[in-house]
Structure formats: C-alpha cells, structure tokens
Amino acid sequence: MANPGSAQPAPGRARARALLFGAGVLFGLSAVLAKLASRDGLMSGGQVTLVRFLVGIVAVLTLFTARPGTFRPVRYGLLASRGLFGGIAALLYFLSIELIPAGEATLLNNTFPIWAVLISFFILKERPTFHLAVALLVASAGVFLVLGGGELSFGLG
C-alpha cells in the first residue's frame, strides 16, 4: 500500500486505472465498429448484437477452459436477470447505433448511472449523497446540452 501522503498511486491502483482506460478505448472501438458494420446496410443492429454475443461467448468459454473454477455462481436468478437485462440493453444500444451517430448513442447509453441512482432510490430505498446528487445534476445537464443539437443557448443579461 502506498504512503497516504505520496503522490504516486499504489501499484494496484495504477493497474486498475490502466485496465479501465483500456476498457474505455475498447468500448469506444466497439461503437465505431458497430457503426461501420451497420453502414450501407452491411449488417443490421440486431446482427451486430448477435456477432457481439458470439464473440463474448467464445471468449468466456475460452477463459473457463483455460482456468477451470473461474465461474462459481451462487444466485442464479440474479445472474439470469442480469443477462436478460444486459442483453436487451446491448441490443437497444446497437440498434440505436444503426440509426444515430455512434457518439450520441454512446452518450445516451452511458446515462446509466442516472437511472441506477433513481431506480435504487425508489426500489432499494437507498439515499443518494449530496455529492452524488450534484454530480448527477451536472452530468444530466451535459447530456441535455449535447442532445440539444446546438439549438440551446445560454446568455447573461
């Protein structure tokens, strides 16, 4: 563990940051490739989703074969519901990429923290902190501005 006063992050944190950065780049590449695949009617959003799931299944089966015991589910119902909702979300995402710019589709797809907070507030009775509420308000304002299509303007006086 790094010294709390040091400027250098702990080795585990640096690795985690690098992995998250890599994941972000790959998610961006996924959106671009989905847009290229759906351009000129080459593939539909549904077909892109099918290919994405097939690649994912091959990757997961390869991991489970290489490292037996990696997957030990406990709550099968939650796992199945996560798969169902995740699958529907991925399908809707790739269908939207077919119809609108990839950046806009990705922006809308990444509003999930807003929905997670709202759903957890109403269903799980969790109370968001003040800092989280401010962050969500700023993020929501950013989404609103981007999706305004340049027709929104703010001025003083």
Side-chain angles (χ1 to χ4, degrees):
M1 186 110 183
N3 181 0
S6 73
Q8 295 294 325
R13 282 189 163 181
R15 182 172 187 269
R17 289 176 178 155
L19 290 172
L20 282 172
F21 180 79
V25 170
L26 292 175
F27 276 119
L29 181 61
S30 172
V32 169
L33 292 175
K35 187 64 175 185
L36 287 174
S38 64
R39 186 180 282 175
D40 300 325
L42 181 64
M43 294 176 79
S44 70
Q47 290 169 324
V48 172
T49 306
L50 176 66
V51 170
R52 184 246 187 239
F53 285 144
L54 290 176
V55 169
I57 287 170
V58 168
V60 167
L61 290 177
T62 302
L63 172 68
F64 292 167
T65 302
R67 297 185 62 159
T70 301
F71 183 63
R72 292 186 210 107
V74 176
R75 300 176 72 180
Y76 289 95
L78 288 178
L79 183 63
S81 65
R82 167 60 177 95
L84 177 67
F85 291 128
I88 293 170
L91 175 62
L92 294 175
Y93 175 56
F94 288 119
L95 287 173
S96 71
I97 285 179
E98 181 182 2
L99 301 171
I100 62 176
E104 187 176 328
T106 302
L107 172 73
L108 287 170
N109 186 54
N110 286 303
T111 61
F112 66 87
I114 297 167
W115 309 116
V117 169
L118 290 173
I119 291 168
S120 68
F121 176 76
F122 290 108
I123 294 178
L124 301 175
K125 306 299 183 210
E126 292 181 354
R127 299 290 179 242
T129 64
F130 175 75
H131 293 76
L132 180 61
V134 169
L136 289 176
L137 183 65
V138 170
S140 299
V143 170
F144 179 73
L145 289 172
V146 170
L147 296 180
E151 296 178 16
L152 299 174
S153 63
F154 291 97
L156 299 174

